[in-house]
């Protein structure tokens, strides 16, 4: 009878394909991380998969409205003291395609719609 190794039972592997992203909760730091594929993630015991999804792609003549978008400073996402993206609560951002696919950072995308 072989000894049981409990530490390996808590490890989970998640494969993210191209244009997929995942929200990962880190219980040690109390934050939620966004991981963008393609890559293979190894989740340790303190990391939990919240959700995994495909990126929204906007074609030519399409648009979407993002509610509560992230705050950007000098073209980069602004972070708070804990390393989390700052959110512009109550704001809306219109994104027009075509553009490179990316995850909807914060909020919700109502669309895509046609112009």
């Amino acid at each position: 009878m072989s000894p049981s190794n409990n530490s390996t039972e808590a490890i989970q592997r998640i494969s993210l394909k191209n244009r997929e992203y995942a929200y990962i909760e880190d219980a040690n730091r109390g934050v939620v991380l966004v991981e963008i594929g393609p890559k293979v993630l190894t989740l340790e015991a303190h990391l939990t998969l919240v959700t995994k999804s495909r990126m929204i792609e906007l074609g030519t003549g399409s648009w979407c409205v993002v509610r509560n978008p992230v705050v950007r400073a000098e073209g980069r996402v602004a972070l708070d003291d804990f390393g989390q993206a700052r959110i512009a609560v109550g704001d809306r951002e219109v994104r027009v395609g075509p553009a490179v696919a990316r995850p909807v950072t914060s909020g919700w995308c109502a669309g895509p719609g046609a112009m």
Side-chain angles (χ1 to χ4, degrees):
M1 187 170 154
S2 63
S4 175
N5 188 351
N6 292 333
S7 63
T8 59
E9 292 174 9
I11 295 176
Q12 179 182 8
R13 292 199 197 290
I14 296 170
S15 177
L16 292 177
K17 297 176 186 165
N18 191 27
R19 298 189 175 163
E20 282 187 334
Y21 66 99
Y23 289 113
I24 309 294
E25 181 181 11
D26 185 339
N28 285 352
R29 296 188 304 157
V31 297
V32 176
L33 309 167
V34 178
E35 293 288 345
I36 299 173
K39 66 171 73 170
V40 175
L41 300 172
T42 302
L43 302 184
E44 297 178 8
H46 65 281
L47 299 173
T48 307
L49 175 66
V50 176
T51 187
K52 176 179 159 182
S53 186
R54 291 216 24 103
M55 294 182 188
I56 294 173
E57 298 181 54
L58 299 177
T60 303
S62 297
W63 56 274
C64 75
V65 177
V66 179
R67 295 180 185 167
N68 304 326
V70 295
V71 175
R72 294 186 182 273
E74 299 175 10
R76 306 187 102 198
V77 174
L79 304 177
D80 64 11
D81 295 337
F82 301 101
Q84 293 289 283
R86 293 185 50 219
I87 306 297
V89 178
D91 282 357
R92 292 183 182 184
E93 179 180 299
V94 177
R95 295 189 184 164
V96 180
V100 176
R102 62 181 181 179
V104 176
T105 46
S106 179
W108 174 78
C109 191
M115 293 180 142

